[in-house]
Amino acid sequence: MARQHILKLSGKTSCRTFLSAVSMLFSLIAQASDHWAFQPVSRPAVPEVRHKEWPSNPIDAFVLAKLETRGWRPAARAEGSALLRRAWLDLLGIPPPLAAQQAWAGSPRDWARVIDDLLARPGHGERWARHWLDLVRYAETNGYERDAIKPFVWRYRDYIIHALNADKTYDRFLREQLAGDELADRSAETMIATGFYRLGHWDDEPADPLTDRFDQLDDILNTTSQSILGLSLACARCHDHKFEPLTMKDYYSLLAVFDPLERPRAGRRELTLPAGSRAEIAEREERDRRIGELQAEETKLRNASIGRFLASGKTGLPQPILDAFALKAEKRNAGQKKRVAENQERFAAAHAAWASPDFKNGMARIAVELRTLRERTPDLPEGYFMREKSPKPPVTHVLVRGQATRPGERVQPAAPAALTGPALAPSKPDQYTTRRRLELARWITSRDNPLTARVIVNHVWRHHFGEGLVRGGDFGTAGPKPTHPELLDWLSHWFMHEADWSLKKLHRLIMTSSTWRMSRARNEEYATVDPDNLLLWRAPYRRLEAEAIRDSMLAVSGRLNRRIGGPSMYPSVPPQALEGHSDPEQIWKPLDEEDASRRTVYAFIKRSMVVPMLETLDLCDTTRPSTGRMTTTVAPQALTLYNGEFVNRQARHFAARLQRKAGDEPAKQIEQAFQLALCREPSETEVSAALDFLVRESNNALNSKQQALTQLCRVILNLNEFVYPE
């Protein structure tokens, strides 16, 4: 490979430029040969530590060993109620209800049971599905000018939720999304999983269709490489990667895996396909063929009978009506079309009264057979995914400077050469597809692949600790080194072998560690040396994401709708947000508060108009894989949370809930408000301030006691402690 690049460079560069390029190339190759992320996953020995009473599992030994090299000690354990709230927010995205708070005794012996209970709840899949949807650029419209809806794409979202709740093993989870249609046990579920490929933005009327075709493939390749392998391979589309040992040939060799995919459409209109096993699809096709024959027979019988009816002279209908019905639809003038429309029932009744027994018996027989066919072979769910129409793959070329009109060297499917894992096995097409994606899925999920387990372990760690062990999630040579490389490898090896790719077991191990259960207490000495908490000497201080903030408000107000799955709901949107659109009446459905009170993972995500509250609170960019959301602190967030229509509506519901549960006694209302929202008792100072506020506001001529309580609820929902746990 190096020799090929030298020859390519030597023919068209100056000597100095050539030598510089050669030097850089060999430097990259040398980096790749010993880059930590490209090496096989090892199983480091768990380190010995001096303070043996602190570790609860091997995670703690790795963390504590690093701290002890500096003579540091980890922060004390978080208090019981704060720890319980943190666990609920981490795993479910909502605070614990009063019953859960009262059941929690705060005993360390009960902690594993608490975690197991949370992992078993349906809300876990809803909470963690959104993290995966960020990675795979999930949205429900195509973007661009028309921003058309992706039909039935919500079924992919529901697949992710169900898979996480069922603890589908991560290797199987990936195989279904990458090659669900090529698996031996293909089903409707695995077909819907391949919607992974079709989630990106799409121009339904591109100026250059050929270039657009490669843009779509680039989107697929980029999403796969970043979300699963932690590599920015898309940077090698037009030239060899400037900073990584990834070449254009690597890029187009991997793109060849996806080249056979086709996007089902009719012009600008997106098409869906039935999802099912090969046998189910064949059975449905045979059913539809027979239904077509019966419908043709039905039409023939009806037309023949109507023809005889019109010629019988015994219709009892005026001649103008008969003349209109005698003509084919396309030959009727406006007056005749009107007569037909106005007399359909009258004509049908007259024909039915006249029709012969043979006609009626024939129509009844067809109706029975049609009903039997549909009952015996019901419709399959419609799915939103791509397909391969032929087992014969297209020819894939390196595109010179990334231009679709300049094909260069022909390439075959292959994994990036710099990786030290297994080679990508040649595919063996069956009668339906090339099976290239199945081989890619096997390569990615091999336990010898150096990246897959490391990347997902880092992803899960980041959502529990605010930052990954590899910050930013870039596993290339230009990315940062892990803060705890031995811990990352130990966890990755454990995840593949002992946990057998179980994400729930990974959550459990992390959350039962003493590391996760540390408090957020600040140590000024440590903070001076390690301000970013790279050594994990305390728990991180971080804000909840937009979905958890909104869901927590719904849970606290008592309005959270627990219905799982199905078509997306439309949260309330300010009228001003719709004014700039050409058809504001159609772009967003009117508010149905009951439906809109479902969890935020079910919110309709429109690329050209994201729900303002979610956008303000840093929803990710849905046009590309998001390995980590930004967390900003800007004035519109405070305005949204204090003056927004949604928050004020939840404050009213919250106040009504307090009146139902705590009666009219202000002290009890305040106590329960703090328990529900913050999972703790209010301090004496807080009680005093809240009581003074209620008295003062109630005495205001414009306010009632209920309005005063509503305003207090609004304040509680806006506390830093509500959106920054602990």
Side-chain angles (χ1 to χ4, degrees), residues 388-409:
E388 290 189 24
K389 293 189 70 174
S390 167
K392 183 178 180 181
V395 176
T396 306
H397 298 268
V398 171
L399 300 182
V400 180
R401 296 189 178 276
Q403 297 178 15
T405 55
R406 298 183 63 187
E409 175 189 3

Short mmCIF file of all heavy atoms in Angstrom, two decimals, residues 388-409:
data_model
loop_
_atom_site.label_atom_id
_atom_site.label_comp_id
_atom_site.label_asym_id
_atom_site.label_seq_id
_atom_site.Cartn_x
_atom_site.Cartn_y
_atom_site.Cartn_z
N GLU A 388 -32.01 -4.61 -1.43
CA GLU A 388 -31.17 -5.01 -2.56
C GLU A 388 -32.07 -5.76 -3.53
O GLU A 388 -32.72 -6.75 -3.16
CB GLU A 388 -30.02 -5.91 -2.10
CG GLU A 388 -28.97 -5.18 -1.29
CD GLU A 388 -27.73 -6.04 -1.03
OE1 GLU A 388 -27.49 -6.98 -1.82
OE2 GLU A 388 -27.01 -5.77 -0.06
N LYS A 389 -32.11 -5.31 -4.75
CA LYS A 389 -33.02 -5.91 -5.74
C LYS A 389 -32.41 -7.10 -6.45
O LYS A 389 -33.12 -7.85 -7.12
CB LYS A 389 -33.44 -4.86 -6.76
CG LYS A 389 -34.30 -3.75 -6.18
CD LYS A 389 -34.87 -2.86 -7.26
CE LYS A 389 -35.93 -3.58 -8.08
NZ LYS A 389 -36.59 -2.67 -9.05
N SER A 390 -31.09 -7.28 -6.31
CA SER A 390 -30.43 -8.34 -7.06
C SER A 390 -29.23 -8.86 -6.27
O SER A 390 -28.57 -8.09 -5.57
CB SER A 390 -29.96 -7.81 -8.42
OG SER A 390 -29.07 -8.72 -9.04
N PRO A 391 -28.93 -10.15 -6.38
CA PRO A 391 -27.72 -10.67 -5.74
C PRO A 391 -26.45 -10.30 -6.50
O PRO A 391 -25.35 -10.54 -6.01
CB PRO A 391 -27.94 -12.18 -5.75
CG PRO A 391 -28.85 -12.42 -6.91
CD PRO A 391 -29.74 -11.21 -6.99
N LYS A 392 -26.60 -9.71 -7.68
CA LYS A 392 -25.44 -9.30 -8.47
C LYS A 392 -25.03 -7.89 -8.06
O LYS A 392 -25.78 -6.94 -8.27
CB LYS A 392 -25.76 -9.34 -9.96
CG LYS A 392 -24.57 -9.01 -10.84
CD LYS A 392 -24.91 -9.11 -12.32
CE LYS A 392 -23.69 -8.77 -13.17
NZ LYS A 392 -24.01 -8.85 -14.63
N PRO A 393 -23.84 -7.73 -7.49
CA PRO A 393 -23.46 -6.40 -6.99
C PRO A 393 -23.06 -5.46 -8.12
O PRO A 393 -22.56 -5.90 -9.16
CB PRO A 393 -22.27 -6.71 -6.09
CG PRO A 393 -21.65 -7.93 -6.69
CD PRO A 393 -22.80 -8.74 -7.22
N PRO A 394 -23.26 -4.16 -7.93
CA PRO A 394 -22.75 -3.20 -8.90
C PRO A 394 -21.23 -3.10 -8.79
O PRO A 394 -20.64 -3.51 -7.78
CB PRO A 394 -23.42 -1.89 -8.48
CG PRO A 394 -23.66 -2.05 -7.02
CD PRO A 394 -23.94 -3.51 -6.80
N VAL A 395 -20.62 -2.56 -9.81
CA VAL A 395 -19.17 -2.34 -9.78
C VAL A 395 -18.91 -1.02 -9.06
O VAL A 395 -19.51 0.00 -9.36
CB VAL A 395 -18.59 -2.28 -11.21
CG1 VAL A 395 -17.11 -1.95 -11.17
CG2 VAL A 395 -18.82 -3.61 -11.92
N THR A 396 -18.01 -1.05 -8.07
CA THR A 396 -17.69 0.13 -7.28
C THR A 396 -16.27 0.58 -7.60
O THR A 396 -15.35 -0.25 -7.66
CB THR A 396 -17.81 -0.14 -5.78
OG1 THR A 396 -19.11 -0.66 -5.51
CG2 THR A 396 -17.60 1.13 -4.98
N HIS A 397 -16.12 1.87 -7.81
CA HIS A 397 -14.81 2.45 -8.13
C HIS A 397 -14.43 3.49 -7.08
O HIS A 397 -15.30 4.11 -6.46
CB HIS A 397 -14.84 3.15 -9.50
CG HIS A 397 -15.14 2.25 -10.64
ND1 HIS A 397 -14.16 1.61 -11.38
CD2 HIS A 397 -16.32 1.88 -11.21
CE1 HIS A 397 -14.72 0.89 -12.33
NE2 HIS A 397 -16.04 1.03 -12.26
N VAL A 398 -13.13 3.69 -6.92
CA VAL A 398 -12.67 4.90 -6.25
C VAL A 398 -13.05 6.07 -7.13
O VAL A 398 -12.87 6.02 -8.35
CB VAL A 398 -11.13 4.87 -6.05
CG1 VAL A 398 -10.63 6.21 -5.55
CG2 VAL A 398 -10.74 3.76 -5.10
N LEU A 399 -13.64 7.11 -6.56
CA LEU A 399 -14.02 8.28 -7.34
C LEU A 399 -12.91 9.33 -7.20
O LEU A 399 -12.60 9.77 -6.09
CB LEU A 399 -15.35 8.85 -6.85
CG LEU A 399 -16.55 7.91 -6.93
CD1 LEU A 399 -17.82 8.62 -6.47
CD2 LEU A 399 -16.72 7.35 -8.34
N VAL A 400 -12.33 9.70 -8.30
CA VAL A 400 -11.24 10.67 -8.30
C VAL A 400 -11.75 11.99 -7.73
O VAL A 400 -12.73 12.55 -8.22
CB VAL A 400 -10.66 10.86 -9.71
CG1 VAL A 400 -9.52 11.90 -9.68
CG2 VAL A 400 -10.17 9.53 -10.26
N ARG A 401 -11.10 12.47 -6.68
CA ARG A 401 -11.49 13.69 -5.96
C ARG A 401 -12.95 13.63 -5.48
O ARG A 401 -13.61 14.64 -5.30
CB ARG A 401 -11.26 14.93 -6.81
CG ARG A 401 -9.81 15.19 -7.13
CD ARG A 401 -9.59 16.54 -7.78
NE ARG A 401 -8.18 16.77 -8.04
CZ ARG A 401 -7.30 17.25 -7.16
NH1 ARG A 401 -7.70 17.53 -5.94
NH2 ARG A 401 -6.04 17.44 -7.50
N GLY A 402 -13.46 12.41 -5.32
CA GLY A 402 -14.80 12.23 -4.81
C GLY A 402 -15.90 12.56 -5.78
O GLY A 402 -17.08 12.65 -5.40
N GLN A 403 -15.56 12.74 -7.06
CA GLN A 403 -16.54 13.15 -8.06
C GLN A 403 -17.18 11.93 -8.72
O GLN A 403 -16.47 11.06 -9.25
CB GLN A 403 -15.88 14.05 -9.11
CG GLN A 403 -15.34 15.35 -8.54
CD GLN A 403 -14.64 16.20 -9.58
OE1 GLN A 403 -14.79 15.97 -10.78
NE2 GLN A 403 -13.88 17.18 -9.13
N ALA A 404 -18.50 11.88 -8.70
CA ALA A 404 -19.23 10.72 -9.20
C ALA A 404 -18.99 10.47 -10.68
O ALA A 404 -19.14 9.34 -11.16
CB ALA A 404 -20.72 10.90 -8.94
N THR A 405 -18.61 11.49 -11.42
CA THR A 405 -18.40 11.36 -12.88
C THR A 405 -16.97 10.97 -13.23
O THR A 405 -16.64 10.88 -14.41
CB THR A 405 -18.74 12.69 -13.57
OG1 THR A 405 -17.96 13.74 -12.97
CG2 THR A 405 -20.22 13.02 -13.43
N ARG A 406 -16.12 10.72 -12.20
CA ARG A 406 -14.72 10.39 -12.48
C ARG A 406 -14.32 9.09 -11.78
O ARG A 406 -13.60 9.08 -10.81
CB ARG A 406 -13.81 11.54 -12.02
CG ARG A 406 -14.06 12.85 -12.74
CD ARG A 406 -13.07 13.91 -12.27
NE ARG A 406 -11.70 13.55 -12.59
CZ ARG A 406 -10.63 14.24 -12.16
NH1 ARG A 406 -10.79 15.30 -11.39
NH2 ARG A 406 -9.41 13.85 -12.50
N PRO A 407 -14.84 7.95 -12.28
CA PRO A 407 -14.48 6.67 -11.66
C PRO A 407 -13.01 6.33 -11.89
O PRO A 407 -12.47 6.54 -12.98
CB PRO A 407 -15.41 5.67 -12.37
CG PRO A 407 -15.73 6.32 -13.68
CD PRO A 407 -15.74 7.79 -13.43
N GLY A 408 -12.37 5.80 -10.85
CA GLY A 408 -10.98 5.39 -10.94
C GLY A 408 -10.84 3.90 -10.74
O GLY A 408 -11.57 3.11 -11.34
N GLU A 409 -9.93 3.51 -9.88
CA GLU A 409 -9.64 2.11 -9.62
C GLU A 409 -10.87 1.38 -9.10
O GLU A 409 -11.60 1.88 -8.26
CB GLU A 409 -8.51 2.04 -8.59
CG GLU A 409 -8.18 0.65 -8.12
CD GLU A 409 -7.20 0.65 -6.95
OE1 GLU A 409 -6.82 1.74 -6.48
OE2 GLU A 409 -6.84 -0.45 -6.48
#
